[in-house]
Amino acid sequence: MRAPTLDLTLLRTLVAIADTGSVTAAAKRLAYTQSTVSMQLQRLEAQLSLTLHEREGRRIRFTSEGERLLNHARRLLALNDDAWSDMQARQVTGDLTLGIPEDYASLLPSVFAYFHQLYPAVGLKVICGTSAHLVEQVKAKELDLALVTRQRNSPGGDVIRREPLLWAVGMNQQPLLSDPLPLALYSPGADVFREVAEQALQSAGRSWRVAYTSQSMAGLAPIVTAGLAIVVVTRSMLTPALRPLDESSGLPALPMIELALHRAPHRPSEPARRLAELIREQLAVPEQAL
């Protein structure tokens, strides 16, 4: 005898009740009325001829049978959702060009791997450059997307995350923190880090000298780790070879910066829309976690 088929819609309602703790909250999550949620729970119990829940005031407590079914329900819904996503994802095709500063490439390996897993038919091309130049390329429709440091003179784009800027030195060696401070700075126009650092020092009445310049952190790192200069980085750019300086260093506090996602000024392609959503999901973090 073939076993009856469980209704996934009813199982999704069961999981929503478990996750939210009440019929009222489950109804809000599912965009149902409370009576619909209650009726679906009753239908599930009737189909199985089991009591799955008990009421404790406004809250729901599951019986042992309800807890057992809930475990099955979560697995079944996960398989259903994975299958749906897989079938839909494989219909997405086309080419896509993303621009990022070299220093943000370390944020995205898992994004790229997951995107390729979901959309193997999409041809993704990644171009590195300075934030200011990448924004101009997006405006000129040379790039579909660009993840950049938000520019003060060009504040567009959707903010994905905010990160504090930090002063950093080599883990084992550092320069004297007396004036003039030796700085390893991005080349003029490469990014906002240089502008922020110079403004902070000027406001604090500190003097400095440029010890080294480069378009990327890869170029700045050797002189910093050798103990010959101080650099400005975000927390996510710290490596085991760098050590952040705290307020006891006597250096002025630095502001937060914003990572923004810019899109070309036309209706985004389906691959661009999917990648933008994935970047937003993967990179967004609470500020208190930084």
Side-chain angles (χ1 to χ4, degrees):
M1 178 180 176
R2 187 175 63 182
T5 301
L6 289 166
D7 187 329
L8 292 180
T9 299
L10 302 183
L11 294 182
R12 200 173 294 277
T13 297
L14 182 77
V15 170
I17 294 171
D19 288 346
T20 61
S22 72
V23 169
T24 301
K28 185 176 296 186
R29 171 186 285 192
L30 298 169
Y32 291 160
T33 64
Q34 293 183 38
S35 60
T36 297
V37 171
S38 296
M39 182 176 63
Q40 288 185 343
L41 182 56
Q42 292 168 9
R43 281 180 55 197
L44 189 56
E45 290 180 321
Q47 287 180 3
L48 295 168
S49 300
L50 292 171
T51 300
L52 303 175
H53 78 289
E54 296 174 349
R55 285 192 172 272
E56 293 181 345
R58 294 185 177 181
R59 299 192 66 79
I60 296 289
R61 186 182 71 81
F62 288 102
T63 63
S64 59
E65 290 83 1
E67 292 289 351
R68 285 167 52 203
L69 180 60
L70 185 60
N71 290 332
H72 291 302
R74 292 190 190 280
R75 292 199 298 271
L76 288 170
L77 290 171
L79 284 172
N80 173 81
D81 295 348
D82 284 347
W84 178 266
S85 297
D86 184 54
M87 293 301 100
Q88 292 296 306
R90 293 180 186 278
Q91 298 176 22
V92 179
T93 61
D95 295 317
L96 172 63
T97 306
L98 169 72
I100 55 173
E102 183 179 335
D103 294 331
Y104 292 161
S106 62
L107 294 173
L108 297 174
S110 61
V111 173
F112 294 151
Y114 190 40
F115 184 79
H116 179 68
Q117 178 184 340
L118 290 175
Y119 313 111
V122 173
L124 174 61
K125 180 180 180 181
V126 180
I127 295 177
C128 289
T130 66
S131 290
H133 186 222
L134 292 173
V135 170
E136 292 305 313
Q137 287 183 286
V138 170
K139 292 179 179 178
K141 302 181 182 180
E142 297 171 4
L143 298 174
D144 296 293
L145 299 168
L147 180 68
V148 302
T149 306
R150 202 174 198 191
Q151 305 294 292
R152 296 189 174 191
N153 58 354
S154 180
D158 299 325
V159 175
I160 300 299
R161 69 194 279 173
R162 294 176 174 83
E163 288 201 48
L165 286 177
L166 308 168
W167 301 102
V169 294
M171 178 58 71
N172 299 314
Q173 301 182 74
Q174 72 172 67
L176 294 175
L177 301 182
S178 56
D179 292 355
L181 293 165
L183 301 184
L185 296 174
Y186 286 92
S187 302
D191 217 319
V192 300
F193 290 23
R194 180 181 184 129
E195 176 189 349
V196 167
E198 292 178 341
Q199 287 183 352
L201 291 172
Q202 185 175 8
S203 297
R206 302 293 300 268
S207 63
W208 68 92
R209 63 182 178 85
V210 179
Y212 196 81
T213 63
S214 175
Q215 293 281 342
S216 69
M217 188 60 201
L220 299 177
I223 195 169
V224 177
T225 55
L228 301 178
I230 308 163
V231 70
V232 174
V233 295
T234 65
R235 192 175 298 280
S236 64
M237 290 166 58
L238 285 172
T239 69
L242 297 177
R243 176 171 57 85
L245 296 174
D246 58 27
E247 61 277 1
S248 65
S249 68
L251 296 179
L254 296 170
M256 304 281 284
I257 60 145
E258 297 176 331
L259 275 65
L261 189 64
H262 289 253
R263 308 183 192 211
H266 54 66
R267 182 180 178 85
S269 66
E270 189 62 17
R273 189 181 68 81
R274 300 288 180 104
L275 181 58
E277 290 176 355
L278 190 58
I279 289 174
R280 183 177 294 104
E281 291 171 3
Q282 296 292 314
L283 295 192
V285 292
E287 289 182 16
Q288 58 268 29
L290 294 170

